[in-house]
């Protein structure tokens, strides 16, 4: 990961810690939910857990510095699976916008909003590392078939090599994650 990405992350995280006391007001406005302010102390505690999870997952550095790795992994791994809404990829279930429906399935309070579109979490998982990071139980990375051409005389013969694929029972499908 680039040193510059780490500097950006440290700077932004520091600013987020400094602005912690006023953050509940911001959350209330963004989510249209005054409970963030009403339950001020609880929100502050939750925000502190979220900030720690962001640092642990290096969310900001990955957001700005992982394009090259994502491009490389997209050549060798394809993502398959379907979200089962455990909420783990929402910063290890610490995100202040994480909510649950009646069945206990994770859902996002700001899904579809302007802020949501600026975040990378809505695209999870983009690459194999993302799956590993949160130990997602529902998506998996499958090795991509490598196809090369071998010339024999005047003919080109396609040769397919395949890495050892992990055993899995999950069928392919698009994420239904809100
Ligand atoms: S993408 Fe994976 S880790 Fe995230 S909520 Fe869905 S099942 Fe859980
Ligand atoms: S999807 Fe929503 S709840 Fe999950 S990490 Fe992103 S903003 Fe937070």
């Amino acid at each position: 990961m680039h040193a510059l990405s780490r500097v950006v992350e440290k700077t932004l995280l520091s600013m987020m810690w400094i602005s912690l006391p006023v953050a509940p007001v911001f959350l209330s406005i963004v989510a249209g939910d005054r409970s963030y302010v009403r339950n001020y102390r609880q929100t502050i505690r939750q925000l502190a857990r979220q900030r720690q999870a962001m640092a642990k997952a290096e969310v900001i550095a990955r957001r700005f510095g992982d394009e090259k790795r994502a491009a490389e992994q997209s050549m060798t791994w394809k993502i398959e699976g379907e979200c089962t809404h455990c909420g783990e990829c929402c910063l290890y279930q610490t995100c202040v916008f994480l909510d649950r429906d009646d069945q206990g399935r994770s859902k996002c309070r700001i899904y579809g909003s302007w802020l949501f579109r600026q975040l990378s979490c809505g695209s999870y998982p983009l690459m194999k590392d993302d799956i590993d990071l949160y130990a997602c139980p529902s998506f998996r990375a499958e090795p991509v078939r490598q196809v090369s051409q071998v010339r024999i005389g005047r003919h080109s013969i396609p040769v397919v090599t395949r890495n050892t694929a992990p055993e899995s029972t999950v069928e392919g499908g698009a994420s239904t994650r809100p």
Side-chain angles (χ1 to χ4, degrees):
M1 205 170 289
H2 293 299
L4 181 60
S5 303
R6 294 197 184 282
V7 171
V8 170
E9 175 165 87
K10 280 193 183 306
T11 304
L12 289 179
L13 274 177
S14 299
M15 290 168 65
M16 291 171 81
W17 278 111
I18 291 168
S19 63
L20 198 65
V22 296
V25 177
F26 173 74
L27 298 179
S28 290
I29 294 169
V30 169
D33 183 352
R34 291 183 187 176
S35 68
Y36 288 109
V37 174
R38 270 202 308 273
N39 306 315
Y40 184 83
R41 287 177 176 225
Q42 185 185 330
T43 304
I44 292 291
R45 281 196 292 271
Q46 184 67 29
L47 278 167
R49 282 194 288 272
Q50 177 181 342
R51 304 291 195 257
Q52 288 164 350
M54 288 178 74
K56 176 183 171 187
E58 299 181 319
V59 171
I60 298 172
R62 289 162 59 86
R63 175 82 167 85
F64 292 105
D66 261 6
E67 293 90 355
K68 189 174 170 213
R69 185 155 36 154
E72 285 169 0
Q73 291 196 4
S74 70
M75 303 287 287
T76 50
W77 300 93
K78 64 178 177 184
I79 307 296
E80 294 185 350
E82 189 169 345
C83 178
T84 50
H85 300 270
C86 69
E88 195 62 16
C89 62
C90 295
L91 298 169
Y92 308 103
Q93 305 190 44
T94 67
C95 181
V96 285
F97 295 122
L98 177 61
D99 202 357
R100 299 276 172 186
D101 66 15
D102 293 342
Q103 283 79 46
R105 291 156 49 95
S106 66
K107 63 176 186 177
C108 178
R109 290 190 191 187
I110 59 165
Y111 177 69
S113 70
W114 173 85
L115 178 59
F116 181 82
R117 289 195 294 275
Q118 313 311 310
L119 305 173
S120 58
C121 49
S123 311
Y124 180 92
L126 272 179
M127 57 179 161
K128 181 179 181 297
D129 282 1
D130 293 342
I131 296 174
D132 297 340
L133 179 65
Y134 294 111
C136 172
S138 308
F139 282 97
R140 73 179 190 276
E142 272 283 330
V144 172
R145 283 167 174 252
Q146 309 284 333
V147 180
S148 57
Q149 301 284 323
V150 172
R151 288 194 69 83
I152 297 179
R154 294 167 55 193
H155 304 285
S156 291
I157 300 174
V159 175
V160 178
T161 59
R162 185 172 173 80
N163 300 338
T164 305
E167 288 297 323
S168 176
T169 56
V170 182
E171 293 299 321
S175 170
T176 56
R177 183 173 176 226

PDB file of all heavy atoms in Angstrom, residues 114-146:
ATOM      1  N   TRP A 114     -26.569  10.272  -0.990  1.00  0.00           N
ATOM      2  CA  TRP A 114     -25.365  10.861  -1.569  1.00  0.00           C
ATOM      3  C   TRP A 114     -24.121  10.339  -0.862  1.00  0.00           C
ATOM      4  O   TRP A 114     -23.140   9.959  -1.511  1.00  0.00           O
ATOM      5  CB  TRP A 114     -25.428  12.384  -1.442  1.00  0.00           C
ATOM      6  CG  TRP A 114     -24.142  13.033  -1.868  1.00  0.00           C
ATOM      7  CD1 TRP A 114     -23.764  13.372  -3.129  1.00  0.00           C
ATOM      8  CD2 TRP A 114     -23.031  13.364  -1.007  1.00  0.00           C
ATOM      9  NE1 TRP A 114     -22.492  13.901  -3.121  1.00  0.00           N
ATOM     10  CE2 TRP A 114     -22.020  13.925  -1.836  1.00  0.00           C
ATOM     11  CE3 TRP A 114     -22.801  13.266   0.362  1.00  0.00           C
ATOM     12  CZ2 TRP A 114     -20.813  14.367  -1.325  1.00  0.00           C
ATOM     13  CZ3 TRP A 114     -21.578  13.705   0.869  1.00  0.00           C
ATOM     14  CH2 TRP A 114     -20.608  14.247   0.016  1.00  0.00           C
ATOM     15  N   LEU A 115     -24.149  10.300   0.454  1.00  0.00           N
ATOM     16  CA  LEU A 115     -22.992   9.836   1.209  1.00  0.00           C
ATOM     17  C   LEU A 115     -22.677   8.373   0.902  1.00  0.00           C
ATOM     18  O   LEU A 115     -21.519   8.001   0.715  1.00  0.00           O
ATOM     19  CB  LEU A 115     -23.236  10.007   2.717  1.00  0.00           C
ATOM     20  CG  LEU A 115     -22.103   9.520   3.628  1.00  0.00           C
ATOM     21  CD1 LEU A 115     -20.796  10.244   3.315  1.00  0.00           C
ATOM     22  CD2 LEU A 115     -22.476   9.704   5.099  1.00  0.00           C
ATOM     23  N   PHE A 116     -23.722   7.568   0.813  1.00  0.00           N
ATOM     24  CA  PHE A 116     -23.518   6.139   0.527  1.00  0.00           C
ATOM     25  C   PHE A 116     -22.769   5.955  -0.789  1.00  0.00           C
ATOM     26  O   PHE A 116     -21.888   5.100  -0.897  1.00  0.00           O
ATOM     27  CB  PHE A 116     -24.873   5.432   0.463  1.00  0.00           C
ATOM     28  CG  PHE A 116     -24.768   3.957   0.188  1.00  0.00           C
ATOM     29  CD1 PHE A 116     -24.500   3.059   1.205  1.00  0.00           C
ATOM     30  CD2 PHE A 116     -24.937   3.466  -1.103  1.00  0.00           C
ATOM     31  CE1 PHE A 116     -24.399   1.689   0.951  1.00  0.00           C
ATOM     32  CE2 PHE A 116     -24.843   2.109  -1.366  1.00  0.00           C
ATOM     33  CZ  PHE A 116     -24.571   1.225  -0.341  1.00  0.00           C
ATOM     34  N   ARG A 117     -23.100   6.770  -1.767  1.00  0.00           N
ATOM     35  CA  ARG A 117     -22.461   6.626  -3.079  1.00  0.00           C
ATOM     36  C   ARG A 117     -20.986   7.028  -3.054  1.00  0.00           C
ATOM     37  O   ARG A 117     -20.230   6.683  -3.954  1.00  0.00           O
ATOM     38  CB  ARG A 117     -23.222   7.446  -4.126  1.00  0.00           C
ATOM     39  CG  ARG A 117     -24.580   6.854  -4.464  1.00  0.00           C
ATOM     40  CD  ARG A 117     -25.154   7.450  -5.736  1.00  0.00           C
ATOM     41  NE  ARG A 117     -25.477   8.868  -5.599  1.00  0.00           N
ATOM     42  CZ  ARG A 117     -26.615   9.332  -5.098  1.00  0.00           C
ATOM     43  NH1 ARG A 117     -27.542   8.488  -4.687  1.00  0.00           N
ATOM     44  NH2 ARG A 117     -26.834  10.628  -4.996  1.00  0.00           N
ATOM     45  N   GLN A 118     -20.566   7.790  -2.043  1.00  0.00           N
ATOM     46  CA  GLN A 118     -19.151   8.163  -1.943  1.00  0.00           C
ATOM     47  C   GLN A 118     -18.331   7.064  -1.263  1.00  0.00           C
ATOM     48  O   GLN A 118     -17.103   7.082  -1.313  1.00  0.00           O
ATOM     49  CB  GLN A 118     -18.972   9.459  -1.115  1.00  0.00           C
ATOM     50  CG  GLN A 118     -19.902  10.587  -1.475  1.00  0.00           C
ATOM     51  CD  GLN A 118     -19.944  10.864  -2.961  1.00  0.00           C
ATOM     52  OE1 GLN A 118     -18.898  11.009  -3.600  1.00  0.00           O
ATOM     53  NE2 GLN A 118     -21.154  10.925  -3.515  1.00  0.00           N
ATOM     54  N   LEU A 119     -19.005   6.136  -0.618  1.00  0.00           N
ATOM     55  CA  LEU A 119     -18.307   5.095   0.141  1.00  0.00           C
ATOM     56  C   LEU A 119     -18.042   3.871  -0.733  1.00  0.00           C
ATOM     57  O   LEU A 119     -18.746   3.627  -1.705  1.00  0.00           O
ATOM     58  CB  LEU A 119     -19.150   4.688   1.359  1.00  0.00           C
ATOM     59  CG  LEU A 119     -19.551   5.833   2.297  1.00  0.00           C
ATOM     60  CD1 LEU A 119     -20.510   5.329   3.364  1.00  0.00           C
ATOM     61  CD2 LEU A 119     -18.317   6.462   2.944  1.00  0.00           C
ATOM     62  N   SER A 120     -17.029   3.101  -0.334  1.00  0.00           N
ATOM     63  CA  SER A 120     -16.703   1.904  -1.110  1.00  0.00           C
ATOM     64  C   SER A 120     -17.452   0.671  -0.601  1.00  0.00           C
ATOM     65  O   SER A 120     -17.494  -0.351  -1.279  1.00  0.00           O
ATOM     66  CB  SER A 120     -15.190   1.651  -1.064  1.00  0.00           C
ATOM     67  OG  SER A 120     -14.775   1.504   0.284  1.00  0.00           O
ATOM     68  N   CYS A 121     -18.067   0.785   0.563  1.00  0.00           N
ATOM     69  CA  CYS A 121     -18.686  -0.404   1.164  1.00  0.00           C
ATOM     70  C   CYS A 121     -19.831  -0.960   0.316  1.00  0.00           C
ATOM     71  O   CYS A 121     -20.112  -2.160   0.364  1.00  0.00           O
ATOM     72  CB  CYS A 121     -19.169  -0.098   2.580  1.00  0.00           C
ATOM     73  SG  CYS A 121     -20.134   1.414   2.700  1.00  0.00           S
ATOM     74  N   GLY A 122     -20.484  -0.083  -0.458  1.00  0.00           N
ATOM     75  CA  GLY A 122     -21.588  -0.553  -1.285  1.00  0.00           C
ATOM     76  C   GLY A 122     -21.149  -1.473  -2.404  1.00  0.00           C
ATOM     77  O   GLY A 122     -21.964  -2.193  -2.976  1.00  0.00           O
ATOM     78  N   SER A 123     -19.859  -1.449  -2.721  1.00  0.00           N
ATOM     79  CA  SER A 123     -19.335  -2.286  -3.803  1.00  0.00           C
ATOM     80  C   SER A 123     -18.694  -3.568  -3.285  1.00  0.00           C
ATOM     81  O   SER A 123     -18.150  -4.348  -4.059  1.00  0.00           O
ATOM     82  CB  SER A 123     -18.273  -1.525  -4.607  1.00  0.00           C
ATOM     83  OG  SER A 123     -18.737  -0.263  -4.965  1.00  0.00           O
ATOM     84  N   TYR A 124     -18.750  -3.767  -1.999  1.00  0.00           N
ATOM     85  CA  TYR A 124     -18.101  -4.936  -1.403  1.00  0.00           C
ATOM     86  C   TYR A 124     -18.721  -6.229  -1.901  1.00  0.00           C
ATOM     87  O   TYR A 124     -19.943  -6.314  -1.987  1.00  0.00           O
ATOM     88  CB  TYR A 124     -18.226  -4.861   0.120  1.00  0.00           C
ATOM     89  CG  TYR A 124     -17.589  -6.026   0.842  1.00  0.00           C
ATOM     90  CD1 TYR A 124     -16.273  -5.978   1.271  1.00  0.00           C
ATOM     91  CD2 TYR A 124     -18.318  -7.192   1.070  1.00  0.00           C
ATOM     92  CE1 TYR A 124     -15.689  -7.054   1.920  1.00  0.00           C
ATOM     93  CE2 TYR A 124     -17.739  -8.270   1.724  1.00  0.00           C
ATOM     94  CZ  TYR A 124     -16.433  -8.194   2.146  1.00  0.00           C
ATOM     95  OH  TYR A 124     -15.852  -9.249   2.781  1.00  0.00           O
ATOM     96  N   PRO A 125     -17.951  -7.268  -2.215  1.00  0.00           N
ATOM     97  CA  PRO A 125     -16.493  -7.311  -2.269  1.00  0.00           C
ATOM     98  C   PRO A 125     -15.999  -7.076  -3.686  1.00  0.00           C
ATOM     99  O   PRO A 125     -16.480  -7.699  -4.617  1.00  0.00           O
ATOM    100  CB  PRO A 125     -16.190  -8.740  -1.820  1.00  0.00           C
ATOM    101  CG  PRO A 125     -17.382  -9.538  -2.309  1.00  0.00           C
ATOM    102  CD  PRO A 125     -18.557  -8.614  -2.347  1.00  0.00           C
ATOM    103  N   LEU A 126     -15.018  -6.195  -3.820  1.00  0.00           N
ATOM    104  CA  LEU A 126     -14.459  -5.912  -5.138  1.00  0.00           C
ATOM    105  C   LEU A 126     -13.381  -6.918  -5.521  1.00  0.00           C
ATOM    106  O   LEU A 126     -13.164  -7.189  -6.687  1.00  0.00           O
ATOM    107  CB  LEU A 126     -13.825  -4.515  -5.140  1.00  0.00           C
ATOM    108  CG  LEU A 126     -14.721  -3.336  -5.488  1.00  0.00           C
ATOM    109  CD1 LEU A 126     -13.925  -2.056  -5.402  1.00  0.00           C
ATOM    110  CD2 LEU A 126     -15.337  -3.496  -6.865  1.00  0.00           C
ATOM    111  N   MET A 127     -12.681  -7.429  -4.532  1.00  0.00           N
ATOM    112  CA  MET A 127     -11.583  -8.356  -4.834  1.00  0.00           C
ATOM    113  C   MET A 127     -11.427  -9.380  -3.717  1.00  0.00           C
ATOM    114  O   MET A 127     -12.052  -9.268  -2.658  1.00  0.00           O
ATOM    115  CB  MET A 127     -10.290  -7.586  -5.055  1.00  0.00           C
ATOM    116  CG  MET A 127      -9.887  -6.707  -3.886  1.00  0.00           C
ATOM    117  SD  MET A 127      -8.332  -5.861  -4.225  1.00  0.00           S
ATOM    118  CE  MET A 127      -8.404  -4.533  -3.032  1.00  0.00           C
ATOM    119  N   LYS A 128     -10.540 -10.338  -3.972  1.00  0.00           N
ATOM    120  CA  LYS A 128     -10.340 -11.430  -3.019  1.00  0.00           C
ATOM    121  C   LYS A 128      -9.952 -10.906  -1.636  1.00  0.00           C
ATOM    122  O   LYS A 128     -10.430 -11.397  -0.613  1.00  0.00           O
ATOM    123  CB  LYS A 128      -9.258 -12.365  -3.568  1.00  0.00           C
ATOM    124  CG  LYS A 128      -8.974 -13.554  -2.680  1.00  0.00           C
ATOM    125  CD  LYS A 128      -7.909 -14.424  -3.307  1.00  0.00           C
ATOM    126  CE  LYS A 128      -7.633 -15.641  -2.452  1.00  0.00           C
ATOM    127  NZ  LYS A 128      -7.104 -15.322  -1.127  1.00  0.00           N
ATOM    128  N   ASP A 129      -9.072  -9.900  -1.613  1.00  0.00           N
ATOM    129  CA  ASP A 129      -8.628  -9.367  -0.319  1.00  0.00           C
ATOM    130  C   ASP A 129      -9.796  -8.870   0.523  1.00  0.00           C
ATOM    131  O   ASP A 129      -9.770  -8.949   1.753  1.00  0.00           O
ATOM    132  CB  ASP A 129      -7.641  -8.211  -0.534  1.00  0.00           C
ATOM    133  CG  ASP A 129      -6.255  -8.726  -0.907  1.00  0.00           C
ATOM    134  OD1 ASP A 129      -6.092  -9.953  -1.018  1.00  0.00           O
ATOM    135  OD2 ASP A 129      -5.347  -7.899  -1.096  1.00  0.00           O
ATOM    136  N   ASP A 130     -10.819  -8.321  -0.140  1.00  0.00           N
ATOM    137  CA  ASP A 130     -11.986  -7.820   0.589  1.00  0.00           C
ATOM    138  C   ASP A 130     -12.692  -8.950   1.323  1.00  0.00           C
ATOM    139  O   ASP A 130     -13.123  -8.805   2.467  1.00  0.00           O
ATOM    140  CB  ASP A 130     -12.986  -7.162  -0.380  1.00  0.00           C
ATOM    141  CG  ASP A 130     -12.437  -5.888  -0.987  1.00  0.00           C
ATOM    142  OD1 ASP A 130     -11.479  -5.329  -0.435  1.00  0.00           O
ATOM    143  OD2 ASP A 130     -12.993  -5.449  -2.013  1.00  0.00           O
ATOM    144  N   ILE A 131     -12.816 -10.066   0.639  1.00  0.00           N
ATOM    145  CA  ILE A 131     -13.481 -11.232   1.244  1.00  0.00           C
ATOM    146  C   ILE A 131     -12.687 -11.713   2.448  1.00  0.00           C
ATOM    147  O   ILE A 131     -13.240 -12.002   3.515  1.00  0.00           O
ATOM    148  CB  ILE A 131     -13.639 -12.359   0.207  1.00  0.00           C
ATOM    149  CG1 ILE A 131     -14.560 -11.892  -0.917  1.00  0.00           C
ATOM    150  CG2 ILE A 131     -14.179 -13.622   0.850  1.00  0.00           C
ATOM    151  CD1 ILE A 131     -14.664 -12.865  -2.073  1.00  0.00           C
ATOM    152  N   ASP A 132     -11.368 -11.770   2.271  1.00  0.00           N
ATOM    153  CA  ASP A 132     -10.507 -12.227   3.361  1.00  0.00           C
ATOM    154  C   ASP A 132     -10.550 -11.264   4.547  1.00  0.00           C
ATOM    155  O   ASP A 132     -10.541 -11.687   5.704  1.00  0.00           O
ATOM    156  CB  ASP A 132      -9.051 -12.365   2.874  1.00  0.00           C
ATOM    157  CG  ASP A 132      -8.912 -13.427   1.786  1.00  0.00           C
ATOM    158  OD1 ASP A 132      -9.810 -14.286   1.686  1.00  0.00           O
ATOM    159  OD2 ASP A 132      -7.919 -13.385   1.045  1.00  0.00           O
ATOM    160  N   LEU A 133     -10.593  -9.975   4.239  1.00  0.00           N
ATOM    161  CA  LEU A 133     -10.531  -8.950   5.289  1.00  0.00           C
ATOM    162  C   LEU A 133     -11.627  -9.136   6.341  1.00  0.00           C
ATOM    163  O   LEU A 133     -11.379  -9.077   7.540  1.00  0.00           O
ATOM    164  CB  LEU A 133     -10.643  -7.559   4.657  1.00  0.00           C
ATOM    165  CG  LEU A 133     -10.629  -6.377   5.624  1.00  0.00           C
ATOM    166  CD1 LEU A 133      -9.278  -6.277   6.328  1.00  0.00           C
ATOM    167  CD2 LEU A 133     -10.937  -5.077   4.883  1.00  0.00           C
ATOM    168  N   TYR A 134     -12.858  -9.349   5.867  1.00  0.00           N
ATOM    169  CA  TYR A 134     -13.976  -9.476   6.817  1.00  0.00           C
ATOM    170  C   TYR A 134     -14.442 -10.927   6.964  1.00  0.00           C
ATOM    171  O   TYR A 134     -15.476 -11.168   7.589  1.00  0.00           O
ATOM    172  CB  TYR A 134     -15.145  -8.602   6.358  1.00  0.00           C
ATOM    173  CG  TYR A 134     -14.851  -7.121   6.404  1.00  0.00           C
ATOM    174  CD1 TYR A 134     -14.720  -6.380   5.234  1.00  0.00           C
ATOM    175  CD2 TYR A 134     -14.691  -6.471   7.625  1.00  0.00           C
ATOM    176  CE1 TYR A 134     -14.446  -5.015   5.276  1.00  0.00           C
ATOM    177  CE2 TYR A 134     -14.421  -5.112   7.668  1.00  0.00           C
ATOM    178  CZ  TYR A 134     -14.293  -4.393   6.495  1.00  0.00           C
ATOM    179  OH  TYR A 134     -14.020  -3.053   6.544  1.00  0.00           O
ATOM    180  N   ALA A 135     -13.691 -11.837   6.374  1.00  0.00           N
ATOM    181  CA  ALA A 135     -14.074 -13.256   6.434  1.00  0.00           C
ATOM    182  C   ALA A 135     -15.549 -13.432   6.058  1.00  0.00           C
ATOM    183  O   ALA A 135     -16.316 -14.079   6.776  1.00  0.00           O
ATOM    184  CB  ALA A 135     -13.802 -13.830   7.829  1.00  0.00           C
ATOM    185  N   CYS A 136     -15.911 -12.843   4.925  1.00  0.00           N
ATOM    186  CA  CYS A 136     -17.299 -12.934   4.446  1.00  0.00           C
ATOM    187  C   CYS A 136     -17.710 -14.401   4.292  1.00  0.00           C
ATOM    188  O   CYS A 136     -17.016 -15.177   3.647  1.00  0.00           O
ATOM    189  CB  CYS A 136     -17.433 -12.222   3.104  1.00  0.00           C
ATOM    190  SG  CYS A 136     -19.029 -12.486   2.328  1.00  0.00           S
ATOM    191  N   PRO A 137     -18.831 -14.774   4.889  1.00  0.00           N
ATOM    192  CA  PRO A 137     -19.241 -16.178   4.825  1.00  0.00           C
ATOM    193  C   PRO A 137     -19.951 -16.549   3.518  1.00  0.00           C
ATOM    194  O   PRO A 137     -20.238 -17.727   3.289  1.00  0.00           O
ATOM    195  CB  PRO A 137     -20.213 -16.298   6.006  1.00  0.00           C
ATOM    196  CG  PRO A 137     -20.808 -14.944   6.131  1.00  0.00           C
ATOM    197  CD  PRO A 137     -19.734 -13.973   5.723  1.00  0.00           C
ATOM    198  N   SER A 138     -20.248 -15.568   2.655  1.00  0.00           N
ATOM    199  CA  SER A 138     -21.135 -15.838   1.529  1.00  0.00           C
ATOM    200  C   SER A 138     -20.517 -15.653   0.153  1.00  0.00           C
ATOM    201  O   SER A 138     -20.986 -16.244  -0.811  1.00  0.00           O
ATOM    202  CB  SER A 138     -22.375 -14.948   1.630  1.00  0.00           C
ATOM    203  OG  SER A 138     -22.948 -15.091   2.903  1.00  0.00           O
ATOM    204  N   PHE A 139     -19.507 -14.807   0.050  1.00  0.00           N
ATOM    205  CA  PHE A 139     -18.833 -14.646  -1.239  1.00  0.00           C
ATOM    206  C   PHE A 139     -17.531 -15.445  -1.219  1.00  0.00           C
ATOM    207  O   PHE A 139     -16.955 -15.688  -0.170  1.00  0.00           O
ATOM    208  CB  PHE A 139     -18.515 -13.173  -1.512  1.00  0.00           C
ATOM    209  CG  PHE A 139     -19.698 -12.373  -1.971  1.00  0.00           C
ATOM    210  CD1 PHE A 139     -20.426 -11.607  -1.073  1.00  0.00           C
ATOM    211  CD2 PHE A 139     -20.102 -12.393  -3.292  1.00  0.00           C
ATOM    212  CE1 PHE A 139     -21.525 -10.863  -1.486  1.00  0.00           C
ATOM    213  CE2 PHE A 139     -21.196 -11.655  -3.725  1.00  0.00           C
ATOM    214  CZ  PHE A 139     -21.917 -10.889  -2.814  1.00  0.00           C
ATOM    215  N   ARG A 140     -17.101 -15.834  -2.397  1.00  0.00           N
ATOM    216  CA  ARG A 140     -15.821 -16.513  -2.498  1.00  0.00           C
ATOM    217  C   ARG A 140     -15.101 -16.046  -3.764  1.00  0.00           C
ATOM    218  O   ARG A 140     -15.741 -15.556  -4.702  1.00  0.00           O
ATOM    219  CB  ARG A 140     -16.002 -18.027  -2.538  1.00  0.00           C
ATOM    220  CG  ARG A 140     -16.561 -18.546  -3.832  1.00  0.00           C
ATOM    221  CD  ARG A 140     -16.689 -20.064  -3.796  1.00  0.00           C
ATOM    222  NE  ARG A 140     -16.997 -20.599  -5.105  1.00  0.00           N
ATOM    223  CZ  ARG A 140     -18.235 -20.655  -5.593  1.00  0.00           C
ATOM    224  NH1 ARG A 140     -19.246 -20.208  -4.890  1.00  0.00           N
ATOM    225  NH2 ARG A 140     -18.433 -21.150  -6.794  1.00  0.00           N
ATOM    226  N   ALA A 141     -13.778 -16.177  -3.751  1.00  0.00           N
ATOM    227  CA  ALA A 141     -12.969 -15.829  -4.924  1.00  0.00           C
ATOM    228  C   ALA A 141     -12.574 -17.118  -5.630  1.00  0.00           C
ATOM    229  O   ALA A 141     -12.014 -18.025  -5.019  1.00  0.00           O
ATOM    230  CB  ALA A 141     -11.735 -15.055  -4.489  1.00  0.00           C
ATOM    231  N   GLU A 142     -12.922 -17.186  -6.906  1.00  0.00           N
ATOM    232  CA  GLU A 142     -12.608 -18.366  -7.719  1.00  0.00           C
ATOM    233  C   GLU A 142     -11.467 -18.027  -8.667  1.00  0.00           C
ATOM    234  O   GLU A 142     -11.491 -16.974  -9.310  1.00  0.00           O
ATOM    235  CB  GLU A 142     -13.824 -18.752  -8.563  1.00  0.00           C
ATOM    236  CG  GLU A 142     -14.795 -19.688  -7.886  1.00  0.00           C
ATOM    237  CD  GLU A 142     -14.283 -21.117  -7.871  1.00  0.00           C
ATOM    238  OE1 GLU A 142     -13.548 -21.482  -8.801  1.00  0.00           O
ATOM    239  OE2 GLU A 142     -14.585 -21.843  -6.925  1.00  0.00           O
ATOM    240  N   PRO A 143     -10.469 -18.895  -8.781  1.00  0.00           N
ATOM    241  CA  PRO A 143      -9.398 -18.625  -9.744  1.00  0.00           C
ATOM    242  C   PRO A 143      -9.960 -18.518 -11.162  1.00  0.00           C
ATOM    243  O   PRO A 143     -10.830 -19.304 -11.545  1.00  0.00           O
ATOM    244  CB  PRO A 143      -8.488 -19.846  -9.617  1.00  0.00           C
ATOM    245  CG  PRO A 143      -8.833 -20.453  -8.310  1.00  0.00           C
ATOM    246  CD  PRO A 143     -10.284 -20.169  -8.073  1.00  0.00           C
ATOM    247  N   VAL A 144      -9.454 -17.555 -11.885  1.00  0.00           N
ATOM    248  CA  VAL A 144      -9.885 -17.377 -13.274  1.00  0.00           C
ATOM    249  C   VAL A 144      -9.080 -18.300 -14.163  1.00  0.00           C
ATOM    250  O   VAL A 144      -7.885 -18.489 -13.953  1.00  0.00           O
ATOM    251  CB  VAL A 144      -9.651 -15.911 -13.720  1.00  0.00           C
ATOM    252  CG1 VAL A 144      -9.917 -15.739 -15.220  1.00  0.00           C
ATOM    253  CG2 VAL A 144     -10.528 -14.977 -12.909  1.00  0.00           C
ATOM    254  N   ARG A 145      -9.749 -18.904 -15.143  1.00  0.00           N
ATOM    255  CA  ARG A 145      -9.022 -19.745 -16.088  1.00  0.00           C
ATOM    256  C   ARG A 145      -8.049 -18.908 -16.888  1.00  0.00           C
ATOM    257  O   ARG A 145      -8.402 -17.859 -17.400  1.00  0.00           O
ATOM    258  CB  ARG A 145      -9.996 -20.417 -17.062  1.00  0.00           C
ATOM    259  CG  ARG A 145     -10.729 -21.588 -16.459  1.00  0.00           C
ATOM    260  CD  ARG A 145     -11.867 -22.002 -17.334  1.00  0.00           C
ATOM    261  NE  ARG A 145     -12.480 -23.221 -16.823  1.00  0.00           N
ATOM    262  CZ  ARG A 145     -12.355 -24.404 -17.404  1.00  0.00           C
ATOM    263  NH1 ARG A 145     -11.685 -24.530 -18.517  1.00  0.00           N
ATOM    264  NH2 ARG A 145     -12.922 -25.470 -16.886  1.00  0.00           N
ATOM    265  N   GLN A 146      -6.816 -19.376 -16.954  1.00  0.00           N
ATOM    266  CA  GLN A 146      -5.798 -18.700 -17.746  1.00  0.00           C
ATOM    267  C   GLN A 146      -5.735 -19.391 -19.112  1.00  0.00           C
ATOM    268  O   GLN A 146      -5.493 -20.589 -19.189  1.00  0.00           O
ATOM    269  CB  GLN A 146      -4.427 -18.793 -17.080  1.00  0.00           C
ATOM    270  CG  GLN A 146      -4.430 -18.375 -15.622  1.00  0.00           C
ATOM    271  CD  GLN A 146      -4.499 -16.879 -15.459  1.00  0.00           C
ATOM    272  OE1 GLN A 146      -4.068 -16.143 -16.335  1.00  0.00           O
ATOM    273  NE2 GLN A 146      -5.058 -16.430 -14.360  1.00  0.00           N
TER     274      GLN A 146
END
